Amino acid sequence: KQEVTQIPAALSVPEGENLVLNCSFTDSAIYNLQWFRQDPGKGLTSLLLIQSSQREQTSGRLNASLDKSSGRSTLYIAASQPGDSATYLCAGPPWGAGNKLTFGGGTRVLVKP
Amino acid sequence: EAQVTQNPRYLITVTGKKLTVTCSQNMNHEYMSWYRQDPGLGLRQIYYSMNVEVTDKGDVPEGYKVSRKEKRNFPLILESPSPNQTSLYFCASSLILTSPGELFFGEGSRLTVL
């Protein structure tokens, strides 16, 4: 069974600093890897999706990498802003079980002005 | 506007009183799924559906039922709710969870069972 781990559980940085969020998964035969953002009391918003054949995806200040061999994905947020404060979650289904999505516990980010 | 709509958003009920949480998507997505989110346990999948009349259990299906009679709707049914089902519930949909598989979430339904 796929297990997804996110460390650290919480992170506090001053505004302008780059953010690095980590996601580890146990089954390297991953189908794709998604990063989500969740604001308090809200649903999840998809940020980036990396297919297994890709090594990274970029959207604006966000860049996500995928290293299947080491079972890791990293989300980089450049020049953080207070509006980036949220919980970030990763999720990935393994091959053959693409319909069963396992989420990491999330990293709660606080960007201080 | 493309969206996943859940109702009700907030509900307080009592043990044993049957309830249904509705979920509807307007994106013609094939895949729909229900999750519950609990402090310290994260998001866990309850049930999912790959298409109309095709449903399967997730990781925590006990105490829940689902149906998929129409493509756009995927209600979550609690036949006899218990306090351990107090949670924040999310419905999500995707064109199909293979390629590309981007998942769209509803705003959540906070359920309290007394």
Side-chain angles (χ1 to χ4, degrees):
Chain A
K1 181 188 171 192
Q2 178 75 284
E3 292 183 9
V4 182
T5 305
Q6 292 185 249
I7 295 173
L11 189 59
S12 180
V13 299
E15 182 177 3
E17 192 165 299
N18 295 332
L19 282 163
V20 181
L21 307 179
N22 297 303
C23 172
S24 300
F25 44 92
T26 54
D27 189 339
S28 62
I30 201 163
Y31 194 89
N32 60 42
L33 193 293
Q34 289 190 61
W35 282 94
F36 298 87
R37 168 185 172 137
Q38 185 178 26
D39 294 290
K42 300 283 190 179
L44 281 70
T45 301
S46 179
L47 296 174
L48 291 168
L49 184 150
I50 313 173
Q51 297 290 352
S52 62
S53 57
Q54 299 173 315
R55 295 186 72 86
E56 66 177 339
Q57 277 282 6
T58 298
S59 176
R61 294 185 295 113
L62 275 60
N63 174 276
S65 65
L66 177 64
D67 184 346
K68 290 191 297 178
S69 62
S70 65
R72 290 183 183 178
S73 177
T74 303
L75 178 66
Y76 301 90
I77 303 177
S80 63
Q81 304 168 358
D84 294 328
S85 298
T87 297
Y88 293 83
L89 299 99
C90 64
W95 278 98
N99 37 40
K100 297 194 74 173
L101 202 61
T102 302
F103 283 83
T107 295
R108 191 171 65 252
V109 170
L110 175 63
V111 180
K112 295 181 285 188
Chain B
E1 180 189 354
Q3 59 186 6
V4 179
T5 303
Q6 297 178 226
N7 279 297
R9 293 288 314 281
Y10 303 91
L11 179 63
I12 300 175
T13 190
V14 295
T15 299
K17 186 175 181 181
K18 180 180 178 180
L19 67 92
T20 299
V21 186
T22 64
C23 174
S24 180
Q25 50 90 6
N26 62 0
M27 295 168 280
N28 201 36
H29 283 172
E30 294 183 358
Y31 177 92
M32 296 185 76
S33 183
W34 277 101
Y35 300 87
R36 60 178 290 173
Q37 188 174 38
D38 302 287
L41 296 175
L43 269 161
R44 294 176 292 169
Q45 191 174 41
I46 303 171
Y47 269 96
Y48 62 91
S49 170
M50 298 296 285
N51 213 324
V52 175
E53 302 292 1
V54 180
T55 63
D56 208 345
K57 297 177 181 178
D59 293 321
V60 288
E62 295 79 19
Y64 305 94
K65 287 176 58 177
V66 293
S67 68
R68 187 93 180 272
K69 293 183 171 54
E70 305 167 281
K71 198 171 189 177
R72 63 182 294 128
N73 296 323
F74 190 45
L76 179 69
I77 304 158
L78 286 72
E79 293 272 2
S80 182
S82 62
N84 64 12
Q85 293 178 297
T86 292
S87 187
L88 179 59
Y89 291 87
F90 289 103
C91 179
S93 73
S94 174
L95 187 60
I96 187 168
L97 201 67
T98 50
S99 176
E102 184 180 5
L103 208 58
F104 294 82
F105 278 80
E107 288 288 294
S109 296
R110 186 168 293 281
L111 171 65
T112 301
V113 183
L114 301 175

